[in-house]
Amino acid sequence: MEEKIKSEHRIIIIDGMRIHVQLAGFGQPLILIHGLGGPLMWQRVIEPLSRDFRVVVVDLPGFGESECLKEYYSTVQYAEFLIHFLNALNIERATLVGISYGAQIAAHVAHQHPDRVEKLVLISSTGLMTYTALMHITIFWVIFSFIAKHIVLKSKWLTCGIARLSFYDIKSRPKDLCDKYYAQLSLTGKRDALLNGMRNSITKDSTFCTKLSELRTPTLIVWGKQDRTVPSKYASRFQQCIPHSAVRILRDCAHSLPLEKPQELCDTIVKFMKSETS
């Protein structure tokens, strides 16, 4: 039986904010970038991946145990924050593994700073989905975000009920996940950060596919077959945009892929990392 690798938790100051980071293992740096579900999404893959890599889990500003934003960040600003994060940890070059909105941010990092990204793993990424035009009308968004912040996200029952949709089999959800996630959301500023990230993820960017097409970073695209949040058809859309990318579809899982299929995801990432991709 393999001995479990211990992880370390730190608070570091980046751009004047207290940022929480979890580190485990040694070797090639693997940066895990969460989406709107926060860093709890990675809890089942940190230890397995740390057997082969130096796993670094960052709580983005406004999420998890990190300090909230002093201003709303755009996707590009989050990407720049990650470069400052790498600098703070003296990481010159790393593989980025992002899920959902975190994958969208990771793609921007690879586009803006290709010299800092060894490889790229995009899991159920946002950025290419088309949304109803209502979501882009300011007054509609104001009403929607008000209801979301003051009614939906203030109700544990509603929050956890909506979160069920990100699982193919709800029994695979960690028993304490909802309690921990709701507790994080209840802290001052966390709901605002979540809604800001949501708006960023649905904001139409007609240049995103073009940016993806300019990537020369070896890229793996991973999706859950039964994803209802960002349907798996978008995996092929990303592959069409990113030259020489590879796609892996995992069955019997939805959007919360690292929690539903942790071992399959880890095996897929390890295989990709050890492949001779040019």
Side-chain angles (χ1 to χ4, degrees):
M1 184 176 178
E2 289 188 63
E3 184 179 352
K4 187 174 182 179
I5 298 174
K6 295 181 180 180
S7 62
E8 172 192 0
H9 295 262
R10 292 185 196 170
I11 295 293
I12 57 178
I13 305 299
I14 302 176
D15 299 338
M17 293 176 287
R18 291 168 56 84
I19 300 298
H20 176 260
V21 57
Q22 182 177 355
L23 305 104
F26 300 93
Q28 187 175 352
L30 201 67
I31 315 298
L32 305 187
I33 307 164
H34 64 78
L36 303 182
L40 293 169
M41 183 63 63
W42 300 119
Q43 60 185 277
R44 287 178 172 166
V45 301
I46 296 171
E47 198 276 331
L49 288 173
S50 67
R51 296 172 195 155
D52 294 278
F53 310 106
R54 181 189 180 196
V55 176
V56 182
V57 183
V58 56
D59 294 12
L60 294 173
F63 293 86
E65 297 179 41
S66 286
E67 189 175 349
C68 286
L69 298 159
K70 294 178 173 59
E71 60 183 22
Y72 291 133
Y73 271 26
S74 66
T75 303
V76 171
Q77 286 174 308
Y78 269 121
E80 287 303 314
F81 162 82
L82 284 175
I83 294 299
H84 299 168
F85 175 77
L86 293 178
N87 292 342
L89 291 179
N90 295 314
I91 297 174
E92 185 61 32
R93 192 171 171 85
T95 290
L96 305 185
V97 180
I99 183 168
S100 196
Y101 181 51
Q104 184 177 340
I105 295 170
H108 277 273
V109 176
H111 179 261
Q112 294 164 215
H113 302 275
D115 57 315
R116 304 298 298 272
V117 183
E118 186 73 33
K119 289 188 177 183
L120 186 64
V121 180
L122 306 178
I123 306 170
S124 306
S125 182
T126 57
L128 290 178
M129 276 189 74
T130 53
Y131 295 85
T132 173
L134 284 174
M135 295 299 286
H136 304 293
I137 298 174
T138 301
I139 187 61
F140 180 84
W141 175 257
V142 169
I143 296 170
F144 171 83
S145 58
F146 180 87
I147 294 172
K149 179 180 178 180
H150 297 285
I151 298 177
V152 178
L153 296 177
K154 277 199 172 181
S155 165
K156 182 178 176 181
W157 182 79
L158 287 174
T159 300
C160 295
I162 292 172
R164 290 173 66 96
L165 297 175
S166 70
F167 288 85
Y168 171 71
D169 180 2
I170 193 60
K171 293 191 294 294
S172 66
R173 181 168 72 178
K175 296 186 183 301
D176 61 352
L177 179 70
C178 191
D179 290 336
K180 288 183 176 180
Y181 182 60
Y182 184 73
Q184 290 179 351
L185 274 182
S186 299
L187 299 174
T188 302
K190 301 294 185 179
R191 297 186 186 99
D192 290 320
L194 171 65
L195 289 168
N196 175 61
M198 180 183 293
R199 191 173 196 187
N200 288 343
S201 72
I202 66 174
T203 297
K204 187 175 181 180
D205 181 359
S206 58
T207 67
F208 190 46
C209 185
T210 300
K211 291 174 182 175
L212 293 174
S213 71
E214 295 170 353
L215 295 180
R216 295 299 176 264
T217 305
T219 302
L220 173 66
I221 299 161
V222 187
W223 233 274
K225 179 69 175 176
Q226 287 78 22
D227 195 330
R228 289 169 287 186
T229 307
V230 185
S232 59
K233 66 180 182 180
Y234 285 96
S236 60
R237 288 277 306 277
F238 270 86
Q239 187 177 36
Q240 289 168 8
C241 294
I242 304 175
H244 312 300
S245 57
V247 172
R248 175 78 191 278
I249 306 294
L250 302 187
R251 296 185 178 278
D252 299 328
C253 61
H255 198 63
S256 296
L257 201 153
L259 292 174
E260 287 204 282
K261 297 290 181 179
Q263 194 56 57
E264 285 186 47
L265 177 61
C266 289
D267 291 345
T268 298
I269 292 173
V270 170
K271 183 178 179 181
F272 172 66
M273 290 291 291
K274 293 184 176 181
S275 66
E276 295 295 327
T277 312
S278 58

